[in-house]
Amino acid sequence: GQQLNQSPQSMFIQEGEDVSMNCTSSSIFNTWLWYKQDPGEGPVLLIALYKAGELTSNGRLTAQFGITRKDSFLNISASIPSDVGIYFCAGHTGNQFYFGTGTSLTVIP
Amino acid sequence: NAGVTQTPKFQVLKTGQSMTLQCAQDMNHNSMYWYRQDPGMGLRLIYYSASEGTTDKGEVPNGYNVSRLNKREFSLRLESAAPSQTSVYFCASSEMTSSDTQYFGPGTRLTVL
C-alpha cells in the first residue's frame, strides 16, 4: 500500500504554544486531509485541501497542500488543552484513502 | 441523525471463533469502508463498497469478508478469528468513492485471545 510518513510521532507542548506537524508521501495525491481522533472515538475531519499550494484555515488550524502534491503540513496556533489527541493526515486518490501513522499531541496546562 | 454507528463497541473472542461487526449510516451515502487501526500504523483499509451491491478489497483483506446488506448497512465478518486480528475497527462512509471526505463511526475494539 501507499506509505504516508507523518512527523513527529508525538509532541508535548505548553498551553499557548504553536504546533506544526507534516506528512510526506512517495505518491501524488489529489486531495490531502487532516483528521483529529479523540481517545475512544473515530477520526473527525478538520481540513480538506484540493489544490497544490492551497493554504486553508479552520479557526486556529492552518494546513497547506504541498506544491509537489506529495506533502502537507498542519499548524495549530495558541494550543489549548482540548487540542489533545491524535492527528492524522490522509491522501485521497482514485477510490481510496491512505492514512499517516498519526501525531500524538499532549498539551500541558 | 446519528451519522455512522457501529456495534458492538467492545468484543473479546477466542482464536477460531467467528463474529460479525455491524455498521450503519443514515446520511444516504453511496460508499462505505472498513478500516483497522493498529498502534503506530495508522488506518488501513480492509474492504470498501463503492455502492450498494459492490464490494472491493483494500490493503489488508485477508481473513475478512464483507456484505453490503443495503445502502445503509455494511458488515464485516471474521470467519475464524486470529490473535493478529486484535485491533480497533472503524467503519466509514462517504457520498461516493471519489468524494474527498469520509465520516467515521466510533470504532469496535476487538481482542482475540
Side-chain angles (χ1 to χ4, degrees):
Chain A
Q2 307 213 31
Q3 197 80 359
L4 268 64
N5 299 307
Q6 194 170 340
S7 65
Q9 279 191 321
S10 61
M11 302 181 76
F12 293 81
I13 61 168
Q14 292 286 137
E15 183 177 356
E17 288 184 350
D18 297 344
V19 172
S20 185
M21 59 190 79
N22 66 71
C23 200
T24 60
S25 169
S26 57
S27 304
I28 290 172
F29 288 110
N30 298 323
T31 304
W32 278 94
L33 306 136
W34 285 92
Y35 289 84
K36 183 190 178 204
Q37 185 178 22
D38 291 327
E41 302 292 332
V44 174
L45 182 66
L46 298 173
I47 290 181
L49 302 153
Y50 304 104
K51 288 192 322 185
E54 178 182 352
L55 186 71
T56 297
S57 294
N58 178 7
R60 293 178 296 106
L61 277 61
T62 301
Q64 185 159 29
F65 192 143
I67 293 291
T68 65
R69 296 170 63 193
K70 292 184 178 181
D71 63 325
S72 178
F73 73 74
L74 174 71
N75 285 342
I76 305 172
S77 63
S79 59
I80 59 177
S82 62
D83 290 334
V84 164
I86 302 177
Y87 292 79
F88 289 98
C89 61
H92 181 234
T93 185
N95 289 337
Q96 295 193 23
F97 294 78
Y98 299 90
F99 287 81
T101 51
T103 294
S104 175
L105 179 64
T106 301
V107 179
I108 303 164
Chain B
N1 188 344
V4 180
T5 57
Q6 291 182 238
T7 55
K9 288 202 70 128
F10 301 93
Q11 184 71 49
V12 178
L13 293 177
K14 293 181 180 177
T15 297
Q17 287 185 318
S18 62
M19 80 160 295
T20 300
L21 281 62
Q22 307 286 353
C23 174
Q25 52 91 9
D26 61 4
M27 295 174 282
N28 202 35
H29 284 169
N30 290 298
S31 303
M32 298 184 73
Y33 311 78
W34 275 106
Y35 292 90
R36 60 179 288 172
Q37 183 177 39
D38 301 298
M41 299 198 72
L43 288 149
R44 293 183 292 167
L45 184 65
I46 305 171
Y47 271 93
Y48 68 100
S49 170
S51 60
E52 188 178 352
T54 70
T55 60
D56 285 288
K57 294 178 180 179
E59 185 183 351
V60 288
N62 291 345
Y64 305 95
N65 286 303
V66 290
S67 296
R68 183 73 183 267
L69 304 168
N70 47 57
K71 192 171 186 180
R72 288 188 65 247
E73 298 172 290
F74 188 37
S75 63
L76 178 72
R77 182 159 178 86
L78 287 70
E79 289 291 351
S80 179
S84 60
Q85 294 178 305
T86 293
S87 188
V88 181
Y89 291 87
F90 287 99
C91 177
S93 71
S94 65
E95 200 169 323
M96 295 180 292
T97 54
S98 56
S99 302
D100 49 68
T101 54
Q102 289 185 322
Y103 298 86
F104 285 84
T108 294
R109 282 141 190 85
L110 175 67
T111 301
V112 183
L113 302 174

